[in-house]
Every structure is written in C-alpha cells, then in structure tokens.
Amino acid sequence: QVRLVESGGGLVQAGGSLSLSCTASGRILTIGDMAWFRQTPGNERELVARITGALEPSYAESMKGRVSIVRDNAKNLVTLQMNSLKPEDTGVYFCNAENVRMMGRSSIHNYWGRGTQVTVSS
C-alpha cells in the first residue's frame, strides 16, 4: 500500500496563509499527477490544484492568484501554499496521487490521503 500523509492544516484568520504538505511513501516506482482537492460544507469534493510529474501546475479558476502548488519528485512531496484565505475556504483538504506504479506490481492505482482540516475564521 501507498500512504499519503497530509500536514499543515489548522486555524487561520481571513486574509492569512497556510501551507499544506503531502508526502507519499511506500514501494513507489512512479507517480503521475499529484493534486489537492477539498471538500467544503455542503459541497462536493473539488479540485484545488494539480501538478504533473513534469512539474506543470494548474489551478481551479477560483483559486488562481491565491494558491501555488509545488512538487519535489525525489521526495514524493507536494505542497500547496494558500494565501488570502477566506472563510469559504474552510474545509477538509485531501492529497491525491494518480497513476501510481508500485515496485513489483504491474497495476496502476490512485491514492488519497485522509485529509487535513483548514478552518478560516472571519
């Protein structure tokens, strides 16, 4: 099994910043895209940002200008820097690793972290 562990969530006031990190561990051979999703109260899980194995980022339109995603392939680490946070950003943020190849296995799998809570107070 591949394990994704998120960190960096917490409580921040509106206008503040948080940096979320996710590290993938296990017998990993390669990982395709890595991404951050979130689930806010009353809404479906939505994409916040993703970054390819070639380190090309993309962002949800609502997040552009406020977030930045970076990745360290050598460490299987992805970080989401969030700025100018708003109360509506409150929710659980999930790390996602797509098209993961494991050593000794031919199949490809998608993995999710357990999520980290982000709370933005007004």
Side-chain angles (χ1 to χ4, degrees):
Q1 288 288 321
V2 171
R3 184 186 182 195
L4 302 182
V5 179
E6 302 103 332
S7 63
L11 175 65
V12 65
Q13 292 184 334
S17 300
L18 282 175
S19 182
L20 308 181
S21 295
C22 171
T23 300
S25 62
R27 292 177 53 83
I28 299 169
L29 189 61
T30 59
I31 302 175
D33 289 2
M34 298 188 76
W36 285 94
F37 290 75
R38 73 181 183 186
Q39 188 163 17
T40 57
N43 298 308
E44 300 289 332
R45 185 175 298 188
E46 62 180 339
L47 175 69
V48 177
R50 68 168 57 250
I51 185 166
T52 70
L55 307 183
E56 298 177 357
S58 60
Y59 304 96
E61 190 66 31
S62 63
M63 295 286 101
K64 288 182 178 179
R66 297 198 296 131
V67 298
S68 178
I69 187 169
V70 296
R71 175 175 176 174
D72 185 336
N73 289 334
K75 299 179 180 179
N76 290 327
L77 170 69
V78 63
T79 300
L80 182 71
Q81 176 67 45
M82 301 190 292
N83 305 307
S84 301
L85 287 166
K86 306 172 182 179
E88 51 263 43
D89 293 320
T90 294
V92 180
Y93 286 68
F94 298 90
C95 180
N96 178 53
E98 299 180 351
N99 297 325
V100 180
R101 295 182 181 270
M102 298 179 65
M103 298 178 186
R105 297 179 62 182
S106 60
S107 58
I108 301 173
H109 298 272
N110 181 279
Y111 293 93
W112 291 89
R114 295 182 63 187
T116 184
Q117 177 70 41
V118 171
T119 302
V120 184
S121 64
S122 59

